[in-house]
Amino acid sequence: MKSVASAGAAVSLMTGQSAFAAGESGYWSKDLPNDKLVDMFTTIVRIRWHERTMADKMASDPNYRGYNHFYAGQEAVAAGVCAALNNKGGVLEADLVYSTHRPTGHAIAKGMDMKKMAAEEEFKATGINNGYAGEMHLSDASIGFIGADGMIGPGPVIATGSAFAIKARGSKQVVVNFGGDGTYATPHFHATLNNAALLKLPFIYVLENNLYHQYAHYSYSCPMKDIADAARTYRIPGVVVDGQDVFQVYNVAKIAVDRARAGEGPTLIEAKTYRYYNHWGAPGVKPGELGAFGYDPLAISSFRPEREVRAWMQRDPVVIARDVLINWGVLTRARADQIEAAAKQEAIEAFAWAAQQPNCKPEDGLRNVFVEGVVPARQFG
Ligand SMILES: Cc1ncc(C[n+]2csc(CCOP(=O)(O)OP(=O)(O)O)c2C)c(N)n1
Ligand SMILES: [Mg+2]
Protein backbone atom coordinates (compact mmCIF):
# COMPACT_ATOMS: atom_id res chain seq x y z
CA MET A 1 0.00 0.00 0.00
CA LYS A 2 1.30 3.37 -0.97
CA SER A 3 0.27 6.41 1.00
CA VAL A 4 -0.22 9.61 -0.90
CA ALA A 5 0.58 11.86 2.00
CA SER A 6 1.80 14.67 -0.20
CA ALA A 7 -1.70 15.21 -1.51
CA GLY A 8 -2.82 16.05 2.01
CA ALA A 9 -5.81 13.79 1.84
CA ALA A 10 -6.96 11.38 4.47
CA VAL A 11 -6.85 8.60 1.93
CA SER A 12 -4.43 6.14 0.53
CA LEU A 13 -4.08 4.40 -2.76
CA MET A 14 -3.48 0.69 -2.77
CA THR A 15 -1.40 -0.71 -5.51
CA GLY A 16 -3.35 -3.40 -7.25
CA GLN A 17 -6.59 -3.25 -5.26
CA SER A 18 -9.74 -1.28 -5.10
CA ALA A 19 -8.24 1.22 -2.75
CA PHE A 20 -11.16 2.61 -0.88
CA ALA A 21 -14.85 2.20 -0.98
CA ALA A 22 -17.29 5.05 -1.35
CA GLY A 23 -17.33 7.22 1.73
CA GLU A 24 -13.92 6.33 3.05
CA SER A 25 -12.08 9.08 1.27
CA GLY A 26 -13.33 11.67 3.74
CA TYR A 27 -14.30 15.04 2.47
CA TRP A 28 -10.92 16.49 1.65
CA SER A 29 -12.59 18.77 -0.88
CA LYS A 30 -14.14 20.60 2.04
CA ASP A 31 -10.86 22.50 2.36
CA LEU A 32 -11.19 23.99 -1.12
CA PRO A 33 -12.19 27.64 -1.57
CA ASN A 34 -15.96 28.15 -1.68
CA ASP A 35 -15.79 29.40 -5.28
CA LYS A 36 -14.25 26.17 -6.42
CA LEU A 37 -16.90 24.11 -4.63
CA VAL A 38 -19.71 26.19 -6.09
CA ASP A 39 -18.13 25.81 -9.54
CA MET A 40 -18.39 22.04 -9.24
CA PHE A 41 -22.09 22.24 -8.37
CA THR A 42 -22.60 24.72 -11.22
CA THR A 43 -20.91 22.36 -13.69
CA ILE A 44 -23.18 19.52 -12.60
CA VAL A 45 -26.38 21.52 -13.09
CA ARG A 46 -25.15 22.97 -16.41
CA ILE A 47 -24.58 19.45 -17.70
CA ARG A 48 -27.90 18.29 -16.29
CA TRP A 49 -29.87 21.04 -18.02
CA HIS A 50 -28.00 20.61 -21.27
CA GLU A 51 -29.07 16.97 -21.21
CA ARG A 52 -32.65 17.57 -20.14
CA THR A 53 -33.17 20.35 -22.66
CA MET A 54 -31.79 18.26 -25.49
CA ALA A 55 -33.68 15.11 -24.47
CA ASP A 56 -36.92 17.07 -24.39
CA LYS A 57 -36.15 18.52 -27.82
CA MET A 58 -35.44 15.10 -29.28
CA ALA A 59 -38.65 13.72 -27.84
CA SER A 60 -40.90 16.60 -28.84
CA ASP A 61 -39.55 18.24 -32.02
CA PRO A 62 -39.60 15.98 -35.11
CA ASN A 63 -37.54 18.51 -37.06
CA TYR A 64 -34.71 18.52 -34.56
CA ARG A 65 -31.63 16.93 -36.16
CA GLY A 66 -29.43 16.46 -33.11
CA TYR A 67 -28.93 13.24 -31.18
CA ASN A 68 -27.05 12.25 -28.06
CA HIS A 69 -25.93 9.47 -25.79
CA PHE A 70 -27.21 11.18 -22.66
CA TYR A 71 -24.95 11.66 -19.65
CA ALA A 72 -27.61 12.64 -17.07
CA GLY A 73 -26.97 10.75 -13.82
CA GLN A 74 -23.19 10.65 -14.38
CA GLU A 75 -22.50 14.40 -14.11
CA ALA A 76 -20.49 14.21 -10.89
CA VAL A 77 -17.82 12.11 -12.60
CA ALA A 78 -17.03 14.63 -15.34
CA ALA A 79 -17.40 17.59 -12.97
CA GLY A 80 -15.17 16.12 -10.25
CA VAL A 81 -12.45 14.93 -12.61
CA CYS A 82 -12.25 18.10 -14.71
CA ALA A 83 -12.20 20.27 -11.56
CA ALA A 84 -8.86 18.60 -10.77
CA LEU A 85 -7.41 19.46 -14.21
CA ASN A 86 -5.89 22.49 -15.87
CA ASN A 87 -8.42 23.37 -18.56
CA LYS A 88 -6.69 26.37 -20.14
CA GLY A 89 -3.87 26.96 -22.57
CA GLY A 90 -4.39 24.75 -25.61
CA VAL A 91 -2.91 21.34 -26.33
CA LEU A 92 0.62 22.23 -25.26
CA GLU A 93 -0.46 23.50 -21.83
CA ALA A 94 -3.89 22.26 -20.79
CA ASP A 95 -4.39 18.79 -19.40
CA LEU A 96 -5.86 16.62 -22.13
CA VAL A 97 -9.16 14.77 -22.04
CA TYR A 98 -10.01 11.90 -24.36
CA SER A 99 -13.74 11.27 -24.24
CA THR A 100 -16.22 8.65 -25.42
CA HIS A 101 -19.42 8.26 -27.44
CA ARG A 102 -21.12 9.80 -24.34
CA PRO A 103 -19.13 13.04 -24.32
CA THR A 104 -21.41 15.98 -23.60
CA GLY A 105 -20.78 16.00 -19.84
CA HIS A 106 -17.02 15.73 -20.32
CA ALA A 107 -17.08 18.57 -22.87
CA ILE A 108 -19.03 20.95 -20.65
CA ALA A 109 -16.92 20.12 -17.59
CA LYS A 110 -13.75 20.76 -19.60
CA GLY A 111 -15.07 24.17 -20.61
CA MET A 112 -16.70 23.88 -24.02
CA ASP A 113 -18.97 26.78 -24.96
CA MET A 114 -22.53 25.45 -24.66
CA LYS A 115 -23.95 27.48 -27.54
CA LYS A 116 -21.34 26.30 -30.02
CA MET A 117 -21.73 22.80 -28.68
CA ALA A 118 -25.53 22.86 -29.13
CA ALA A 119 -25.02 24.14 -32.70
CA GLU A 120 -22.56 21.32 -33.38
CA GLU A 121 -25.01 18.76 -32.03
CA GLU A 122 -27.38 19.96 -34.74
CA PHE A 123 -24.60 19.85 -37.39
CA LYS A 124 -24.75 23.62 -37.91
CA ALA A 125 -22.06 25.46 -39.86
CA THR A 126 -21.24 27.63 -36.82
CA GLY A 127 -20.94 24.72 -34.42
CA ILE A 128 -17.73 24.20 -32.48
CA ASN A 129 -16.52 21.84 -35.23
CA ASN A 130 -18.29 23.61 -38.11
CA GLY A 131 -20.93 20.91 -38.33
CA TYR A 132 -18.49 18.13 -39.13
CA ALA A 133 -18.68 16.39 -35.78
CA GLY A 134 -22.09 16.21 -34.18
CA GLU A 135 -22.28 14.83 -30.66
CA MET A 136 -20.03 11.83 -31.23
CA HIS A 137 -16.98 13.73 -32.48
CA LEU A 138 -17.08 16.95 -30.45
CA SER A 139 -13.65 18.43 -29.84
CA ASP A 140 -12.04 21.70 -28.75
CA ALA A 141 -8.26 21.84 -28.76
CA SER A 142 -8.22 25.25 -27.08
CA ILE A 143 -9.35 23.68 -23.79
CA GLY A 144 -7.49 20.39 -24.19
CA PHE A 145 -10.65 18.49 -25.04
CA ILE A 146 -9.19 16.19 -27.65
CA GLY A 147 -12.57 14.83 -28.28
CA ALA A 148 -15.35 12.36 -28.32
CA ASP A 149 -14.87 8.99 -29.98
CA GLY A 150 -17.52 6.65 -31.34
CA MET A 151 -15.25 3.61 -31.24
CA ILE A 152 -15.30 1.48 -28.10
CA GLY A 153 -11.67 0.64 -27.49
CA PRO A 154 -8.97 2.50 -29.38
CA GLY A 155 -9.30 5.93 -27.68
CA PRO A 156 -7.11 5.14 -24.67
CA VAL A 157 -4.31 3.79 -26.85
CA ILE A 158 -4.15 7.13 -28.65
CA ALA A 159 -4.41 8.91 -25.30
CA THR A 160 -1.34 7.11 -24.02
CA GLY A 161 0.45 8.30 -27.17
CA SER A 162 -0.29 11.86 -26.04
CA ALA A 163 0.90 11.02 -22.54
CA PHE A 164 4.12 9.64 -24.02
CA ALA A 165 4.61 12.85 -26.05
CA ILE A 166 4.02 14.93 -22.93
CA LYS A 167 6.60 12.94 -21.04
CA ALA A 168 9.09 13.20 -23.91
CA ARG A 169 8.64 16.98 -24.03
CA GLY A 170 9.08 17.26 -20.27
CA SER A 171 5.71 18.97 -19.97
CA LYS A 172 3.74 18.81 -16.72
CA GLN A 173 0.44 18.07 -18.46
CA VAL A 174 -1.57 14.97 -17.68
CA VAL A 175 -3.91 12.96 -19.88
CA VAL A 176 -7.30 11.68 -18.75
CA ASN A 177 -9.09 9.02 -20.72
CA PHE A 178 -12.77 8.48 -19.96
CA GLY A 179 -14.14 5.06 -20.81
CA GLY A 180 -17.16 2.95 -19.95
CA ASP A 181 -17.45 -0.47 -18.31
CA GLY A 182 -17.78 -1.76 -21.89
CA THR A 183 -14.12 -0.97 -22.52
CA TYR A 184 -12.90 -3.55 -20.00
CA ALA A 185 -13.36 -6.40 -22.48
CA THR A 186 -11.43 -4.66 -25.26
CA PRO A 187 -7.75 -5.46 -25.82
CA HIS A 188 -7.05 -1.72 -25.85
CA PHE A 189 -7.95 -1.35 -22.17
CA HIS A 190 -5.26 -3.82 -21.16
CA ALA A 191 -2.60 -2.69 -23.64
CA THR A 192 -3.17 0.88 -22.50
CA LEU A 193 -2.72 0.18 -18.80
CA ASN A 194 0.24 -2.11 -19.43
CA ASN A 195 2.09 0.47 -21.53
CA ALA A 196 1.14 3.37 -19.27
CA ALA A 197 2.48 1.43 -16.29
CA LEU A 198 5.69 0.27 -17.99
CA LEU A 199 6.44 3.78 -19.28
CA LYS A 200 5.17 5.49 -16.09
CA LEU A 201 3.05 7.82 -18.16
CA PRO A 202 1.13 10.83 -16.82
CA PHE A 203 -2.11 9.05 -17.57
CA ILE A 204 -5.42 8.49 -15.76
CA TYR A 205 -8.07 6.06 -16.92
CA VAL A 206 -11.44 7.12 -15.56
CA LEU A 207 -13.73 4.16 -16.07
CA GLU A 208 -17.36 5.15 -15.63
CA ASN A 209 -19.11 1.98 -14.58
CA ASN A 210 -22.78 2.72 -15.23
CA LEU A 211 -23.51 -1.03 -15.03
CA TYR A 212 -24.44 -1.48 -18.70
CA HIS A 213 -22.81 -1.46 -22.07
CA GLN A 214 -25.61 -0.78 -24.47
CA TYR A 215 -28.13 -3.34 -23.25
CA ALA A 216 -25.95 -5.85 -21.37
CA HIS A 217 -24.92 -5.80 -17.73
CA TYR A 218 -21.18 -5.44 -17.24
CA SER A 219 -21.02 -8.80 -15.45
CA TYR A 220 -21.44 -10.40 -18.90
CA SER A 221 -18.00 -9.17 -19.93
CA CYS A 222 -16.08 -8.68 -16.69
CA PRO A 223 -15.53 -11.40 -14.07
CA MET A 224 -14.87 -8.92 -11.25
CA LYS A 225 -17.27 -6.82 -9.23
CA ASP A 226 -14.81 -3.94 -9.21
CA ILE A 227 -13.14 -3.30 -12.55
CA ALA A 228 -10.56 -1.26 -10.64
CA ASP A 229 -9.14 -4.62 -9.51
CA ALA A 230 -7.65 -4.91 -13.02
CA ALA A 231 -5.05 -2.37 -11.92
CA ARG A 232 -3.42 -5.07 -9.80
CA THR A 233 -2.22 -6.82 -12.97
CA TYR A 234 -0.36 -3.71 -14.05
CA ARG A 235 0.95 -2.76 -10.59
CA ILE A 236 -0.72 0.62 -10.60
CA PRO A 237 -3.24 2.13 -8.16
CA GLY A 238 -6.82 1.09 -8.78
CA VAL A 239 -9.44 3.18 -7.01
CA VAL A 240 -13.18 2.73 -6.64
CA VAL A 241 -15.15 5.90 -6.05
CA ASP A 242 -18.78 6.86 -5.59
CA GLY A 243 -19.45 8.49 -8.94
CA GLN A 244 -22.59 10.21 -7.65
CA ASP A 245 -20.63 12.38 -5.22
CA VAL A 246 -18.62 15.06 -6.98
CA PHE A 247 -16.50 15.82 -3.95
CA GLN A 248 -15.32 12.26 -3.58
CA VAL A 249 -14.64 12.08 -7.30
CA TYR A 250 -12.59 15.28 -7.02
CA ASN A 251 -10.58 13.81 -4.15
CA VAL A 252 -9.48 10.71 -6.02
CA ALA A 253 -8.94 12.59 -9.27
CA LYS A 254 -6.76 15.19 -7.54
CA ILE A 255 -4.60 12.48 -6.00
CA ALA A 256 -4.22 10.74 -9.35
CA VAL A 257 -3.44 14.04 -11.12
CA ASP A 258 -0.82 15.01 -8.53
CA ARG A 259 0.75 11.58 -8.86
CA ALA A 260 0.85 11.78 -12.65
CA ARG A 261 2.30 15.32 -12.62
CA ALA A 262 4.97 14.25 -10.17
CA GLY A 263 6.12 11.55 -12.61
CA GLU A 264 4.75 8.68 -10.49
CA GLY A 265 2.72 7.14 -13.29
CA PRO A 266 -0.85 6.16 -14.10
CA THR A 267 -3.96 5.46 -12.03
CA LEU A 268 -7.16 3.58 -12.84
CA ILE A 269 -10.24 5.17 -11.28
CA GLU A 270 -13.53 3.28 -11.40
CA ALA A 271 -16.50 5.55 -10.74
CA LYS A 272 -19.68 3.67 -9.84
CA THR A 273 -22.47 5.54 -11.53
CA TYR A 274 -25.68 5.22 -13.57
CA ARG A 275 -27.33 6.87 -16.53
CA TYR A 276 -30.92 8.05 -16.31
CA TYR A 277 -31.75 7.79 -19.99
CA ASN A 278 -31.55 4.83 -22.30
CA HIS A 279 -28.31 3.98 -24.08
CA TRP A 280 -28.89 6.22 -27.08
CA GLY A 281 -31.34 8.91 -28.06
CA ALA A 282 -34.60 9.59 -26.37
CA PRO A 283 -36.71 6.42 -26.30
CA GLY A 284 -38.98 6.53 -23.28
CA VAL A 285 -38.41 10.25 -22.67
CA LYS A 286 -41.45 12.29 -21.68
CA PRO A 287 -40.77 16.00 -22.13
CA GLY A 288 -40.47 17.72 -18.76
CA GLU A 289 -39.65 14.49 -16.93
CA LEU A 290 -36.12 13.48 -15.94
CA GLY A 291 -35.04 10.01 -17.06
CA ALA A 292 -36.47 7.31 -19.30
CA PHE A 293 -38.12 4.21 -17.98
CA GLY A 294 -39.30 0.94 -19.34
CA TYR A 295 -39.14 -0.44 -22.82
CA ASP A 296 -36.39 0.72 -25.15
CA PRO A 297 -37.31 -0.27 -28.72
CA LEU A 298 -33.62 -0.41 -29.58
CA ALA A 299 -33.05 -3.09 -26.97
CA ILE A 300 -34.25 -6.66 -27.38
CA SER A 301 -36.28 -6.29 -24.23
CA SER A 302 -36.69 -3.83 -21.40
CA PHE A 303 -33.24 -4.42 -20.01
CA ARG A 304 -33.27 -2.12 -17.02
CA PRO A 305 -35.90 -2.60 -14.35
CA GLU A 306 -37.69 0.69 -13.78
CA ARG A 307 -37.14 0.35 -10.04
CA GLU A 308 -33.40 0.08 -10.59
CA VAL A 309 -33.42 3.38 -12.50
CA ARG A 310 -35.56 5.03 -9.85
CA ALA A 311 -33.39 3.69 -7.03
CA TRP A 312 -30.28 5.23 -8.59
CA MET A 313 -32.14 8.49 -9.07
CA GLN A 314 -32.44 8.61 -5.28
CA ARG A 315 -28.67 9.16 -5.22
CA ASP A 316 -28.76 12.04 -7.62
CA PRO A 317 -25.47 13.92 -8.14
CA VAL A 318 -27.29 17.27 -8.26
CA VAL A 319 -29.02 16.65 -4.93
CA ILE A 320 -25.90 15.22 -3.26
CA ALA A 321 -23.68 18.18 -4.25
CA ARG A 322 -26.39 20.67 -3.34
CA ASP A 323 -27.09 19.13 0.09
CA VAL A 324 -23.40 18.90 0.98
CA LEU A 325 -22.80 22.54 0.10
CA ILE A 326 -25.89 23.71 2.01
CA ASN A 327 -24.81 21.57 4.96
CA TRP A 328 -21.33 23.14 4.89
CA GLY A 329 -22.82 26.64 4.74
CA VAL A 330 -21.25 27.23 1.32
CA LEU A 331 -24.63 27.70 -0.39
CA THR A 332 -28.05 28.77 0.78
CA ARG A 333 -31.08 27.00 -0.66
CA ALA A 334 -32.02 30.19 -2.47
CA ARG A 335 -28.56 30.55 -4.06
CA ALA A 336 -28.55 26.88 -5.12
CA ASP A 337 -31.95 27.41 -6.77
CA GLN A 338 -30.64 30.52 -8.55
CA ILE A 339 -27.62 28.64 -9.90
CA GLU A 340 -29.82 25.85 -11.18
CA ALA A 341 -32.30 28.30 -12.75
CA ALA A 342 -29.42 30.08 -14.50
CA ALA A 343 -28.11 26.74 -15.82
CA LYS A 344 -31.55 25.87 -17.18
CA GLN A 345 -31.81 29.29 -18.83
CA GLU A 346 -28.33 28.93 -20.34
CA ALA A 347 -29.28 25.59 -21.89
CA ILE A 348 -32.59 26.91 -23.26
CA GLU A 349 -30.77 29.88 -24.82
CA ALA A 350 -27.99 27.69 -26.21
CA PHE A 351 -30.43 25.42 -28.06
CA ALA A 352 -32.52 28.42 -29.22
CA TRP A 353 -29.34 30.05 -30.61
CA ALA A 354 -28.29 26.81 -32.25
CA ALA A 355 -31.67 26.46 -33.96
CA GLN A 356 -31.15 29.83 -35.66
CA GLN A 357 -27.72 28.97 -37.01
CA PRO A 358 -27.11 28.22 -40.70
CA ASN A 359 -26.89 24.66 -41.91
CA CYS A 360 -23.77 23.48 -43.68
CA LYS A 361 -23.80 23.76 -47.47
CA PRO A 362 -23.27 20.67 -49.65
CA GLU A 363 -19.88 22.04 -50.79
CA ASP A 364 -18.75 22.21 -47.15
CA GLY A 365 -18.51 18.45 -47.35
CA LEU A 366 -15.40 18.81 -49.51
CA ARG A 367 -13.73 21.41 -47.30
CA ASN A 368 -10.72 20.09 -45.37
CA VAL A 369 -10.61 17.04 -47.61
CA PHE A 370 -8.42 18.18 -50.49
CA VAL A 371 -5.56 20.65 -50.22
CA GLU A 372 -5.16 23.16 -53.02
CA GLY A 373 -1.75 23.52 -54.63
CA VAL A 374 1.45 21.61 -53.94
CA VAL A 375 2.07 20.06 -50.56
CA PRO A 376 5.76 19.85 -49.70
CA ALA A 377 7.02 16.54 -48.37
CA ARG A 378 7.51 17.14 -44.68
CA GLN A 379 8.36 13.79 -43.26
CA PHE A 380 12.12 14.33 -43.61
CA GLY A 381 12.19 18.09 -43.25
C1 LIG B 1 -15.60 -0.96 -31.73
C2 LIG B 1 -17.03 -0.75 -31.40
N1 LIG B 1 -17.84 -1.82 -31.20
C3 LIG B 1 -19.14 -1.66 -30.90
C4 LIG B 1 -19.67 -0.38 -30.81
C5 LIG B 1 -21.14 -0.20 -30.48
N2 LIG B 1 -21.28 0.39 -29.14
C6 LIG B 1 -21.59 1.69 -28.98
S1 LIG B 1 -21.68 2.10 -27.36
C7 LIG B 1 -21.33 0.52 -26.88
C8 LIG B 1 -21.29 0.14 -25.44
C9 LIG B 1 -20.45 1.03 -24.61
O1 LIG B 1 -20.62 0.71 -23.27
P1 LIG B 1 -19.78 1.41 -22.16
O2 LIG B 1 -18.34 1.41 -22.53
O3 LIG B 1 -20.14 0.78 -20.87
O4 LIG B 1 -20.28 2.92 -22.22
P2 LIG B 1 -21.71 3.50 -21.87
O5 LIG B 1 -22.51 3.47 -23.14
O6 LIG B 1 -22.32 2.68 -20.82
O7 LIG B 1 -21.44 4.89 -21.44
C10 LIG B 1 -21.13 -0.30 -27.97
C11 LIG B 1 -20.81 -1.74 -27.89
C12 LIG B 1 -18.81 0.71 -31.06
N3 LIG B 1 -19.25 1.96 -30.96
N4 LIG B 1 -17.51 0.51 -31.33
MG1 LIG C 1 -21.48 1.44 -19.44
Side-chain angles (χ1 to χ4, degrees):
M1 187 161 117
K2 183 172 177 7
S3 282
V4 190
S6 60
V11 296
S12 57
L13 294 179
M14 275 187 187
T15 300
Q17 274 190 39
S18 302
F20 43 94
E24 282 174 40
S25 60
Y27 279 121
W28 171 49
S29 355
K30 74 183 182 325
D31 301 326
L32 291 170
N34 285 0
D35 286 359
K36 177 95 182 162
L37 296 169
V38 173
D39 278 355
M40 286 191 231
F41 172 69
T42 306
T43 302
I44 290 177
V45 288
R46 289 181 66 233
I47 300 171
R48 171 63 55 87
W49 280 104
H50 172 276
E51 303 298 276
R52 289 192 69 164
T53 309
M54 191 174 180
D56 285 5
K57 245 179 137 44
M58 281 184 76
S60 61
D61 179 356
N63 294 320
Y64 181 63
R65 300 194 307 164
Y67 66 85
N68 200 1
H69 295 76
F70 288 106
Y71 193 70
Q74 302 186 202
E75 295 92 338
V77 184
V81 169
C82 292
L85 300 178
N86 172 22
N87 300 319
K88 295 203 172 75
V91 285
L92 294 180
E93 242 179 83
D95 294 324
L96 305 183
V97 161
Y98 282 76
S99 178
T100 65
H101 59 289
R102 198 176 297 289
T104 44
H106 308 148
I108 291 173
K110 195 77 173 80
M112 190 176 282
D113 179 89
M114 203 190 290
K115 280 187 170 157
K116 289 190 180 159
M117 183 168 144
E120 188 59 44
E121 287 157 350
E122 244 187 295
F123 303 94
K124 298 287 192 165
T126 50
I128 187 91
N129 305 114
N130 304 116
Y132 278 75
E135 169 255 339
M136 236 190 310
H137 300 284
L138 288 169
S139 70
D140 185 354
S142 72
I143 53 172
F145 185 73
I146 301 306
D149 185 357
M151 296 296 285
I152 308 302
V157 177
I158 303 165
T160 46
S162 287
F164 185 72
I166 283 168
K167 187 166 176 163
R169 282 205 323 272
S171 163
K172 286 290 170 205
Q173 293 161 277
V174 305
V175 178
V176 168
N177 177 80
F178 287 99
D181 44 286
T183 62
Y184 171 79
T186 66
H188 314 84
F189 173 90
H190 302 278
T192 293
L193 293 185
N194 193 39
N195 286 330
L198 289 172
L199 297 167
K200 264 196 159 188
L201 297 180
F203 177 77
I204 300 160
Y205 201 120
V206 178
L207 189 139
E208 297 185 72
N209 187 349
N210 60 10
L211 305 192
Y212 295 91
H213 31 68
Q214 287 195 313
Y215 310 106
H217 194 267
Y218 80 100
S219 56
Y220 283 96
S221 60
C222 178
M224 301 170 298
K225 181 169 164 286
D226 294 329
I227 300 177
D229 283 351
R232 179 193 308 232
T233 310
Y234 307 107
R235 304 289 187 271
I236 62 172
V239 184
V240 175
V241 69
D242 176 359
Q244 305 312 94
D245 182 337
V246 68
F247 304 116
Q248 293 198 41
V249 174
Y250 175 85
N251 288 349
V252 297
K254 178 76 171 112
I255 293 166
V257 167
D258 287 352
R259 231 180 94 80
R261 260 198 239 298
E264 292 172 29
T267 301
L268 171 62
I269 295 172
E270 179 188 5
K272 306 282 193 189
T273 186
Y274 202 79
R275 59 179 155 70
Y276 293 169
Y277 293 101
N278 279 310
H279 167 66
W280 183 90
V285 171
K286 294 197 186 102
E289 184 182 288
L290 175 63
F293 311 98
Y295 185 68
D296 177 348
L298 297 172
I300 294 161
S301 63
S302 174
F303 69 106
R304 301 196 309 179
E306 176 166 343
R307 287 185 183 176
E308 180 183 285
V309 184
R310 293 198 183 277
W312 274 88
M313 289 175 83
Q314 297 308 303
R315 300 210 61 252
D316 185 41
V318 172
V319 176
I320 290 174
R322 182 189 152 98
D323 286 353
V324 167
L325 293 184
I326 290 171
N327 182 265
W328 287 350
V330 173
L331 281 181
T332 59
R333 271 172 218 290
R335 182 74 194 117
D337 289 347
Q338 270 173 7
I339 292 170
E340 189 160 1
K344 182 176 179 181
Q345 191 57 28
E346 180 191 7
I348 289 169
E349 285 172 15
F351 283 94
W353 183 82
Q356 302 302 319
Q357 296 305 298
N359 289 329
C360 297
K361 300 191 195 77
E363 55 268 33
D364 290 341
L366 292 180
R367 277 199 296 131
N368 306 324
V369 176
F370 300 109
V371 175
E372 304 245 336
V374 178
V375 184
R378 278 185 303 187
Q379 64 268 45
F380 306 115

